[in-house]
């Protein structure tokens, strides 16, 4: 069973996969056992059996602190139902800070006391060897201890308080007691007996609650936009998108019986008010306010945000959730504590734990850091963002722009590092009621400038955390500055900015007040030999070979495969052994995973701080909800967006953008530096891109008089169904073998209900009369109009087209012009290169390029180079450019294309084929024409893949540009077929008529492989415009293509 909102290729992708792993070759999966780099000693005694009413069945480890760390904030949030000794003593103290410290130590004291007492009892009864301690057999022991227990706790408390106030060391791990909750008049408990690392078997209680009322039965799409004419598109086509289950509450993903829950714990939260148990609480209309900044007065009386009891219990679980997710990442590399207390560490392991990851919180952004870092200002301001998102159920989007190494070439898209970070973060935020997505918009053989010129349209206007990684292809700091600046200026939010080194972030932090962070590589254990590597944690194996190693680490770098067998589908084409694209400068999937984990830890540590801040603000402000000034974000975003204009380093300092080829450009041809500080917009056929239909160049392209965007074929890539249905099965290169820990599942612990899965399947059925057989693309019945089959792209669109009919009428129609070549009307010879089929939105929830002819269905590549091309016979290309506010329109153009990029005009001798296009073809002739166009489109796809690869090789290792002959450098031509005339018009008026030499004078290079033409640059021109362009006097060999249109 597959949650449509779960990333593909990972264990938590669907319940069915979890079941497979239960019943697979390895047998039933029991509790998770950590295999550390150095064998750890077992913990003494069982989990604390001293259960007080209302306490949750969890054990809180010392988390991401050292063994010598004092018990601080994340140790204890509890919901006791009666006054404990700790609270009693604290209530007699007048110092508020001491009271707070005492409350935070409450669980630590209880757990330490219970473990100590049980250890003493066990040792005295079995010569120092701990005995099993089943809950059911503890009655006698408890009766003996009960008379002295309270006195001992009070004495221990006083000693602990003194030690805490002096900053002494508490024990590495603390425990909280275990007890089931009462539901519907009875207590539901499940016991799981399991052992860890040789220590005594334990029984853990599982707390079940009624979650029926919290389940979501409606699937949604990331965007409500429907490209006109695609209403009848088949499921999982680009036009239809991939629906998913939205995150609507804190309970829908609860799974106390999932595998990792037994050792690592689970999100054990229940509404403390019986009135709302199993029911959704009322919420305000968040959409009525900018950025969902609802006034506190608008929260209904029973809203969970108003309930102190709900918030205290919820934040307690949230802290534990973040804590175990952090520990899960640590444990993947052999240095993490599990929540059941089954893992202890040697001194060497503790030292390695400290080296594995550190997040330095700097006062001064310019201060040197020895690892990953952020600033105090950034922590405070990001805490506001996180509190806001949790309170309002907002989204959290982690966005990357970069080159081929960042895109995951050689590793597989879903194993690229930003997606790996998302795998860890998504389940954490889901439990908190926040829909989280990671997006990888990196493109092979390119940089980020071509995306940044479209503002935030191609990367999401709701991005919260934006990372730049394109140093290999973009050396100038002005481009980095432009990318980061546009992320703030053009979006609806002011995102956290991140880069690998972070040196370019200082001005954005100090002047604009933006939050910033940088990621370091951290520590990894060495691999020495094939024998020794068996003791290295799975995720770290072969990642770092020590000096004198007898094993080749590089030989194990690329392990991502192309297929995992499944019962319902067998590929028609033999699948490659591994994902292609490996290169010396492309890291393998294990390296990507490690880097992604480092990024996830930065976000999790910041989230951890935000939860602490929330509790602190509530304590100071008198409860929940906290004051609006601490969590509203609109003014915060606006302030940064205004101040970022004062940040130096963009093209404003050198007043012009662009360069010519072996000559100087006229000032009018440079793109204006004002683009740095105004919100840009854009459309393209390149990908991946956010909301691919809405941001498609075709969404602003006018169809011809026959209603067609692409008249050469009956169908198109936007309407192409995938060869098989999601999800992909998790590969052994993604999910470790048991008992190795896997961080995403430690945080996830979810399983879909049967009803939810059945609803999803109903949503995905292609027609009411039956689903599509496995491995077959969905077919849609033909629709006729006037005797002519209506292209799929325009079905459902009202059209004034005169139908072309068969027989004598068709012969007469063929002699008659459909279009007048002298008017500015969309031509009949426009050629669309659609690019990859499927849902290619840059996220792990995509279902991209799943075509039957693929030899690597799990590669997940989303690099896409679609374009719209025309030659001297094609006629006008017409685009609607709406909402121009700053008087600028420009485009990325490819003037060096050839006749094979416009196959639609093959055989033509006149513009628009004499005004008839190819609409005069009938019967078998039409079928052969369509087949030929489809074949040529597939060849164009192969050329696209080759061009992407050549673009990547253009840089080579260390920027070596000698290994390709492709015309991407400074010598790229302005046309390869001889002289031509290029014309463009705005609102029906011809604004420019240039021959090839004149076109070349205006053709401006902004960056590598980024050549542009400026059509408008007048601040006084605003509103909606029609932009048209064509080639004349050139015939078939004179070709022009457009890939991006930009405006502001």
């Amino acid at each position: 069973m597959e949650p449509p909102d779960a990333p593909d290729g990972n264990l938590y992708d669907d319940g069915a996969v979890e079941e497979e792993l239960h019943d697979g070759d390895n047998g039933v999966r029991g509790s998770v056992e950590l295999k550390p780099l150095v064998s750890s000693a077992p913990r003494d005694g069982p989990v604390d059996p001293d259960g007080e009413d209302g306490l949750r069945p969890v054990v809180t480890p010392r988390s991401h602190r050292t063994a010598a760390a004092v018990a601080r904030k994340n140790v204890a949030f509890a919901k006791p139902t009666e006054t404990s000794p700790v609270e009693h003593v604290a209530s007699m103290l007048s110092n508020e800070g001491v009271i707070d410290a005492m409350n935070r130590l409450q669980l630590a004291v209880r757990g330490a006391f219970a473990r100590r007492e049980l250890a003493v009892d066990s040792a005295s009864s079995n010569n120092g060897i701990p005995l099993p301690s089943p809950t059911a057999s503890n009655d006698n022991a408890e009766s003996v201890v009960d008379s002295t227990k309270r006195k001992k706790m009070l004495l221990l408390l006083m000693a602990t308080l003194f030690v805490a106030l002096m900053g002494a060391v508490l024990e590495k791990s603390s425990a909280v007691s275990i007890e089931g909750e009462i539901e519907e008049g009875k207590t539901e408990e499940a016991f799981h007996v399991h052992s860890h690392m040789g220590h005594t078997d334990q029984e853990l209680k599982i707390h079940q609650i009624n979650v029926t009322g919290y389940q979501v039965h409606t699937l949604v799409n990331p965007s409500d936009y429907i490209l006109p004419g695609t209403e009848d598109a088949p499921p999982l086509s680009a036009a239809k998108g991939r629906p998913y289950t939205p995150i609507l509450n804190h309970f829908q993903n609860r799974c106390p019986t999932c595998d990792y829950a037994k050792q690592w714990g689970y999100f054990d939260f229940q509404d403390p008010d019986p009135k709302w148990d199993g029911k959704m609480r009322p919420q305000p209309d968040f959409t009525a306010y900018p950025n969902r900044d609802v006034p506190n007065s608008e929260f209904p009386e029973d809203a969970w945000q108003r309930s102190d009891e709900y918030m205290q219990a919820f934040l307690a679980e949230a802290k534990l959730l973040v804590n175990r997710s952090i520990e899960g990442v640590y444990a993947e590399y052999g240095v993490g504590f599990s929540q059941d207390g089954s893992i202890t560490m040697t001194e060497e392991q503790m030292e390695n734990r400290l080296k594995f990851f550190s997040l330095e919180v700097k006062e001064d952004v310019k201060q040197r850091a020895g690892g990953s870092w952020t600033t105090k200002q950034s922590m405070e301001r990001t805490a506001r963002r996180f509190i806001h998102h949790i309170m309002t159920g907002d989204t959290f989007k982690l966005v990357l722009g970069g080159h081929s190494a960042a895109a995951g070439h050689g590793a597989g898209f879903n194993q690229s590092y930003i997606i790996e970070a998302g795998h860890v973060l998504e389940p954490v935020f889901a439990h908190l009621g926040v829909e989280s997505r990671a997006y990888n918009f990196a493109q092979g053989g390119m940089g980020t400038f071509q995306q940044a010129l479209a503002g935030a349209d191609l990367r999401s206007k709701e991005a919260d955390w934006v990372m730049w990684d394109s140093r290999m292809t973009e050396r100038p700091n002005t481009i980095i500055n432009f990318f980061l600046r546009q992320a703030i200026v053009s979006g609806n939010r002011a995102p956290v900015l991140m880069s690998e080194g972070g040196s370019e972030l200082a001005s954005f932090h100090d002047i604009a007040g933006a939050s910033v962070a940088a990621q370091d590589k951290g520590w990894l254990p060495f691999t020495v030999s094939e024998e020794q590597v068996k003791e290295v944690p799975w995720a770290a194996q072969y990642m770092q070979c020590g000096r004198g190693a007898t094993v080749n680490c590089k030989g194990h770098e690329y392990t991502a495969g192309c297929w995992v067998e499944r019962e319902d589908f067998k590929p028609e084409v033999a699948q490659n052994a591994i994902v292609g694209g490996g290169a010396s400068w492309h890291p393998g999937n294990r390296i990507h995973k490690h880097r992604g984990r480092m990024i996830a830890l930065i976000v999790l540590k910041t989230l951890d701080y935000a939860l602490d801040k929330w509790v602190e603000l509530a304590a100071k402000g008198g409860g929940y909800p906290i004051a609006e000034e601490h969590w509203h974000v609109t003014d915060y975003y606006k302030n940064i967006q205004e101040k970022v204009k004062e940040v130096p380093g963009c093209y404003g300092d050198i007043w012009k953008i662009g360069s010519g080829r072996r000559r100087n450009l006229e000032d009018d041809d440079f793109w204006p530096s004002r683009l740095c500080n105004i919100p840009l917009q854009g459309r393209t056929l390149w990908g991946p891109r956010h909301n691919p239909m809405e941001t498609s160049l075709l969404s602003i392209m006018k169809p011809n008089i026959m209603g067609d965007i692409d008249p050469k074929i009956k169908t198109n890539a936007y309407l192409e169904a995938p060869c098989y249905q999601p999800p992909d099965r998790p590969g052994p290169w993604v999910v470790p073998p048991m008992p190795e820990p896997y961080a995403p599942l430690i945080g996830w612990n979810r399983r879909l209900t049967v009803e939810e899965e059945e609803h999803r399947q109903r949503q995905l059925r292609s027609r009411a009369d039956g689903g599509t057989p496995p491995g077959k693309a969905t077919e849609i019945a033909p629709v006729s109009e006037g005797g002519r089959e209506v292209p799929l792209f325009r079905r459902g669109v009202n059209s004034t087209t005169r139908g072309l009919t068969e027989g004598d009428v068709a012969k007469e129609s063929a002699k008659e012009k459909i279009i007048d070549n002298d008017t500015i009307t969309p031509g009949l010879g426009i050629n669309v290169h659609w690019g990859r089929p499927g849902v290619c939105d840059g996220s792990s929830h995509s279902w991209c390029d799943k075509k039957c002819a693929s030899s690597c269905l799990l590669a997940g590549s989303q690099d896409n180079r679609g374009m719209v091309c025309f030659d001297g016979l094609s006629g006008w290309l017409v685009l609607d450019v709406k909402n121009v506010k700053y008087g600028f329109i420009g485009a990325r153009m490819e003037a060096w294309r050839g006749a094979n990029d416009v196959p639609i005009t093959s055989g033509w001798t006149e513009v628009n084929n004499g005004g008839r296009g190819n609409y005069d073809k009938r019967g078998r002739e039409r079928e052969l024409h369509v087949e030929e166009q489809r074949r040529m489109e597939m060849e164009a796809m192969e050329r696209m893949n080759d061009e992407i690869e050549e673009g990547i090789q253009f840089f080579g290792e260390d920027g070596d540009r000698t290994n390709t002959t492709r015309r991407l450098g400074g010598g790229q031509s302005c046309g390869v077929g001889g002289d031509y005339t290029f014309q463009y018009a705005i609102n029906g008026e011809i604004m420019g008529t240039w021959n090839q030499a004149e076109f070349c004078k205006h053709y401006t290079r902004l960056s590598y492989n980024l050549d542009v033409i400026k059509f408008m640059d007048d601040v006084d021109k605003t509103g909606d415009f029609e932009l048209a362009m064509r080639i004349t006097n050139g015939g078939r060999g004179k070709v022009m293509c457009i890939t991006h249109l930009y405006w502001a």
Side-chain angles (χ1 to χ4, degrees):
M1 296 176 291
E2 181 250 357
D5 56 328
D8 297 317
N10 287 279
L11 182 56
Y12 57 88
D13 207 37
D14 64 295
V17 176
E18 293 183 25
E19 294 296 340
E20 289 176 23
L21 292 174
H22 271 282
D23 303 324
D25 296 336
N26 293 329
V28 177
R29 291 177 63 167
S31 304
V32 182
E33 178 182 330
L34 176 68
K35 185 193 294 180
L37 182 59
V38 181
S39 179
S40 301
R43 295 195 57 85
D44 291 337
V47 176
D48 179 16
D50 178 29
E52 297 290 331
D53 290 343
L55 288 176
R56 295 162 289 99
V58 292
V59 177
T60 308
R62 284 295 352 108
S63 177
H64 42 293
R65 284 118 178 121
T66 69
V70 222
R72 54 179 292 272
K73 307 175 205 176
N74 72 325
V75 172
F77 285 103
K79 44 180 183 178
T81 57
E82 62 179 338
T83 302
S84 67
V86 175
E87 291 171 321
H88 178 70
V89 176
S91 66
M92 297 185 293
L93 303 177
S94 59
N95 186 302
E96 183 179 339
V98 174
I99 296 175
D100 182 66
M102 299 274 289
N103 286 333
R104 293 180 183 276
L105 286 170
Q106 175 177 321
L107 295 184
V109 171
R110 243 199 225 116
F113 175 80
R115 284 196 309 276
R116 177 174 177 175
E117 191 156 54
L118 287 171
V120 170
D121 291 345
S122 298
S124 61
S125 61
N126 196 34
N127 298 320
I129 301 175
L131 291 171
S133 182
T135 305
S137 64
N138 279 339
D139 293 342
N140 293 336
E142 288 180 2
S143 64
V144 174
V145 172
D146 187 67
S147 62
T148 59
K149 181 175 179 180
R150 193 173 186 85
K151 183 184 297 183
K152 290 183 179 180
M153 278 201 71
L154 287 173
L155 292 174
L156 181 61
L157 166 67
M158 299 307 295
T160 304
L161 173 62
F162 175 79
V163 172
L165 295 176
M166 297 299 293
V169 177
L170 288 179
E171 198 171 345
K172 294 177 186 176
S173 294
S174 300
V176 294
S177 53
I178 297 176
E179 180 159 297
E181 295 283 341
I182 296 178
E183 179 182 356
E184 299 179 353
K186 64 178 181 180
T187 302
E188 291 191 19
E189 297 177 345
F191 295 89
H192 296 268
V193 180
H194 56 107
S195 61
H196 297 290
M197 303 174 65
H199 77 287
T200 311
D201 288 350
Q202 301 177 21
E203 291 182 349
L204 297 181
K205 293 183 180 180
I206 300 300
H207 174 205
Q208 302 282 7
I209 68 171
N210 177 20
V211 296
T212 303
Y214 303 121
Q215 295 307 309
V216 181
H217 302 290
T218 301
L219 302 181
V220 299
N221 258 325
S223 172
D224 294 329
Y225 178 84
I226 299 176
L227 195 65
T230 66
E231 293 82 357
D232 295 327
L236 296 171
S237 62
K240 187 64 73 175
R242 183 179 181 184
Y244 67 94
T245 305
I247 303 298
L248 297 182
N249 58 72
H250 304 140
F251 310 93
Q252 67 191 75
N253 291 320
R254 189 178 187 277
C255 185
T257 58
C258 288
D259 293 322
Y260 283 89
K262 299 172 186 177
Q263 183 181 14
W264 292 90
Y266 59 96
F267 193 68
D268 184 22
F269 178 53
Q270 181 176 14
D271 196 321
D273 188 345
K275 172 184 175 182
W276 293 103
D277 187 25
K279 295 186 292 184
M280 299 272 283
R281 289 194 180 224
Q283 292 290 280
D285 181 7
F286 293 108
T287 62
Y289 298 89
N291 296 299
R292 304 172 71 88
D293 276 348
V294 171
N296 283 351
S297 59
E298 291 295 309
F299 285 109
E301 181 179 355
D302 286 323
W304 59 265
Q305 293 91 337
R306 280 190 176 277
S307 169
D308 285 0
E309 189 179 14
Y310 187 107
M311 288 300 302
Q312 289 166 5
F314 169 67
L315 291 177
E317 279 301 328
K319 284 285 295 184
L320 291 168
L321 168 69
V322 174
N323 176 78
R324 66 174 159 269
S325 297
I326 292 173
E327 289 298 326
V329 174
Y330 274 61
E332 285 184 305
Y333 296 89
V335 290
F337 290 113
S338 63
Q339 188 160 290
D340 68 349
S342 63
I343 300 170
T344 58
M345 292 189 189
T346 65
E347 290 302 319
E348 179 185 356
Q349 285 178 300
M350 289 304 299
E351 291 175 5
N352 291 337
R353 177 183 170 88
L354 289 173
K355 292 185 291 184
F356 173 70
F357 177 82
S358 64
L359 180 63
E360 183 175 344
V361 181
K362 304 190 293 186
E363 291 283 349
D364 184 353
V365 70
K366 299 181 181 67
Q367 176 185 340
R368 292 179 63 88
S372 299
W373 62 265
T374 184
T375 68
K376 184 177 180 181
Q377 171 183 294
S378 300
M379 290 284 279
E380 293 288 342
R381 296 182 176 184
T382 308
R384 170 191 294 270
R385 181 189 307 268
F386 284 152
I387 293 172
H388 167 274
H389 287 7
I390 298 171
M391 281 191 68
T392 65
D394 210 339
T395 60
F396 175 75
K397 295 183 178 181
L398 176 66
V399 171
L400 170 70
H403 53 61
S404 57
H409 287 234
F413 181 85
N414 276 337
Q415 285 79 246
S416 62
Y417 68 79
I418 204 70
I419 299 299
E420 284 285 8
H423 292 337
V424 176
L425 296 174
E426 183 174 330
V428 175
F429 281 105
H431 285 304
L432 304 183
V434 175
E435 181 183 287
S436 174
R437 291 286 186 276
Y439 293 89
N440 189 345
F441 297 123
Q443 294 176 330
M446 291 297 298
T448 60
F449 204 5
Q450 76 283 353
Q451 288 180 342
L453 284 165
D457 282 357
L458 308 183
R459 300 174 307 194
S460 175
K461 290 181 179 292
E462 277 69 47
D464 287 286
W465 201 295
V466 173
M467 183 172 182
W468 179 88
D469 180 11
S470 193
R471 181 64 72 179
M472 178 180 285
T473 56
E474 292 175 325
R475 304 290 175 85
N477 286 331
T478 48
I479 295 179
I480 307 171
N481 186 290
F482 191 94
F483 175 92
L484 298 173
R485 183 184 300 260
Q486 277 297 316
I488 294 174
V489 169
S490 295
N492 296 330
R493 306 177 183 180
V496 179
L497 304 179
M498 188 171 181
S499 65
E500 186 170 9
S503 59
E504 56 281 329
L505 303 176
S507 295
F508 289 95
H509 177 274
D510 290 345
I511 297 174
S515 297
V516 298
Q519 166 255 326
D520 190 56
K521 296 179 180 178
W523 171 88
L524 285 168
F526 283 104
T527 293
V528 177
S529 66
E530 291 292 355
E531 187 63 29
Q532 177 266 351
V533 76
K534 297 175 183 178
E535 302 302 320
V536 175
W538 180 84
Q541 290 175 352
Y542 302 106
M543 286 194 64
Q544 185 165 282
C545 275
R547 183 175 298 178
T550 59
V551 64
N552 179 12
C553 282
K554 191 69 176 178
H556 293 268
E557 183 170 351
Y558 304 101
T559 63
C562 288
W563 187 247
V564 176
E565 294 300 325
R566 49 192 292 168
E567 304 79 18
D568 61 336
F569 174 76
K570 183 177 181 179
E572 298 177 5
V573 176
Q575 298 293 289
N576 298 333
I578 61 173
V579 173
S584 59
W585 60 95
H586 288 167
N589 45 289
R590 287 180 182 269
I591 297 174
H592 273 279
K593 175 175 286 188
H594 179 254
R595 186 175 183 186
R597 297 300 195 258
M598 297 296 101
I599 294 171
L601 285 176
I602 295 175
V603 178
L604 289 172
K605 295 269 190 172
T606 309
L607 177 58
D608 181 73
Y609 176 80
L611 297 174
D612 284 341
K613 185 75 175 179
W614 201 345
V615 173
E616 178 185 332
L617 290 170
K620 292 180 179 179
Y624 301 92
I626 60 174
E628 296 166 10
E629 64 188 78
H630 298 305
W631 69 271
H632 276 195
V633 294
T634 300
D635 290 340
Y636 164 64
Y637 292 159
K638 286 182 178 178
N639 186 51
I640 295 174
Q641 289 168 338
E642 287 299 319
K643 289 183 177 180
V644 76
K645 299 174 183 178
E646 303 170 13
V647 174
C650 192
Y651 290 91
D653 295 340
I654 55 177
W655 72 269
K656 56 190 177 183
I657 306 174
S659 63
R661 292 179 181 76
R662 303 182 298 276
R663 57 177 171 71
N664 294 322
L665 287 172
E666 297 294 331
D667 287 349
D668 288 343
D669 294 319
F670 286 106
W671 282 31
S673 60
R674 64 191 177 95
L675 297 184
C676 287
N677 291 321
I678 58 178
L680 297 172
Q681 302 178 70
R683 298 293 184 268
T684 184
L685 280 175
W686 280 24
R689 60 183 185 271
H690 191 255
N691 287 344
M693 292 298 95
E694 189 172 356
T695 57
S696 170
L697 188 61
L698 305 185
S699 69
I700 61 172
M701 182 174 162
K702 283 190 172 182
N704 64 28
I705 195 171
M706 301 300 292
D708 292 327
I709 292 290
D710 187 2
K712 71 179 186 296
I713 52 176
K714 290 193 298 182
T715 62
N716 58 67
Y718 285 7
L719 298 165
E720 188 174 323
C723 197
Y724 66 102
Q725 301 292 300
D728 281 325
R729 301 299 186 253
W733 57 89
V734 175
V735 181
M738 290 298 290
E740 295 278 354
Y742 183 55
L745 267 188
I746 289 171
W748 194 253
N749 283 336
R750 65 135 340 164
R751 194 188 307 274
L752 284 179
T753 64
V754 173
E755 181 182 0
E756 187 178 2
E757 170 63 11
E758 289 177 348
H759 179 79
R760 186 189 72 82
Q761 292 293 343
R762 288 195 300 270
Q763 291 273 349
L764 294 178
R765 289 186 185 121
S766 59
R767 295 194 300 249
D769 58 351
T772 302
K776 298 294 184 181
T778 304
E779 296 180 357
I780 297 180
V783 177
S784 296
E785 185 179 280
R788 170 179 175 258
E789 184 176 320
V790 179
L792 281 168
F793 189 79
R794 71 181 188 90
R795 290 179 188 172
V797 178
N798 294 326
S799 174
T800 58
T801 299
R802 293 176 296 111
L804 298 181
T805 59
E806 300 291 345
D808 294 336
V809 179
K811 294 178 183 178
E812 291 298 320
S813 299
K815 298 176 183 178
E816 187 179 334
K817 283 187 177 182
I818 301 173
I819 184 173
D820 184 352
N821 297 332
D822 295 328
T823 60
I824 299 179
T825 304
L828 303 180
I830 304 300
N831 205 111
V832 176
H833 293 280
W834 299 82
R836 302 187 192 280
V839 183
C840 307
D841 65 356
S843 78
S844 62
H845 293 250
S846 60
W847 196 245
C848 182
D849 205 23
K850 301 291 188 178
K851 55 183 181 292
C852 297
S854 173
S855 60
C856 192
L857 287 166
L858 297 189
S861 176
Q862 299 193 34
D863 267 2
N864 204 0
R865 301 289 174 85
M867 55 189 173
V868 178
C869 298
F870 51 96
D871 61 17
L873 304 179
S874 297
W876 288 96
L877 169 66
V878 185
L879 302 161
D880 281 328
V881 188
K882 298 185 180 298
N883 196 29
V884 175
K885 295 182 178 180
Y886 301 92
F888 179 84
I889 302 175
R892 181 188 180 277
M893 310 287 291
E894 295 187 354
W896 43 272
R897 292 288 176 177
N900 60 352
D901 290 302
V902 192
I904 187 174
T905 61
S906 177
W908 292 11
T909 58
E910 301 177 73
V911 175
N912 288 314
N913 199 19
R916 301 182 305 274
N918 286 322
Y919 292 103
D920 58 346
K921 300 186 187 309
R922 289 294 180 276
R924 182 57 178 164
E925 182 186 16
R926 175 69 174 174
E927 292 178 7
L928 292 173
H929 173 75
V930 170
E931 289 176 5
E932 176 65 9
Q933 297 300 317
R934 174 62 75 184
R935 183 188 65 80
M936 298 185 74
E937 186 66 18
M938 293 177 67
E939 290 179 357
M941 278 287 293
E942 292 300 318
R943 291 198 302 273
M944 182 193 78
N945 290 329
D946 292 342
E947 288 171 6
I948 292 173
E949 184 60 27
E950 286 183 21
I952 294 169
Q953 296 297 327
F954 178 78
F955 289 95
E957 191 170 12
D958 300 324
D960 177 13
R961 303 186 178 188
T962 62
N963 55 353
T964 182
T965 58
R966 186 178 175 217
R967 295 182 300 275
L968 296 178
Q972 180 176 315
S973 72
C974 302
V976 296
D979 198 17
Y980 56 81
T981 299
F982 176 84
Q983 279 189 329
Y984 76 94
I986 295 178
N987 288 348
E989 180 182 354
I990 302 294
M991 304 298 294
T993 302
W994 304 327
N995 61 26
Q996 182 181 15
E998 291 169 330
F999 179 89
C1000 205
K1001 289 182 180 179
H1002 296 285
Y1003 203 30
T1004 306
R1005 167 146 291 195
L1006 303 188
S1007 182
Y1008 161 74
N1009 199 14
L1010 181 52
D1011 300 290
V1012 296
I1013 287 291
K1014 182 170 60 177
F1015 296 112
M1016 178 189 290
D1017 188 5
D1018 185 342
V1019 293
D1020 295 325
K1021 291 184 177 180
T1022 60
D1024 298 340
F1025 296 90
E1026 179 190 86
L1027 171 67
M1029 62 188 78
R1030 69 175 176 176
I1031 291 285
T1032 65
N1033 303 329
R1036 285 209 69 234
K1038 317 306 186 295
V1039 176
M1040 189 72 66
C1041 298
I1042 177 173
T1043 64
H1044 298 69
L1045 188 74
Y1046 309 114
W1047 69 94

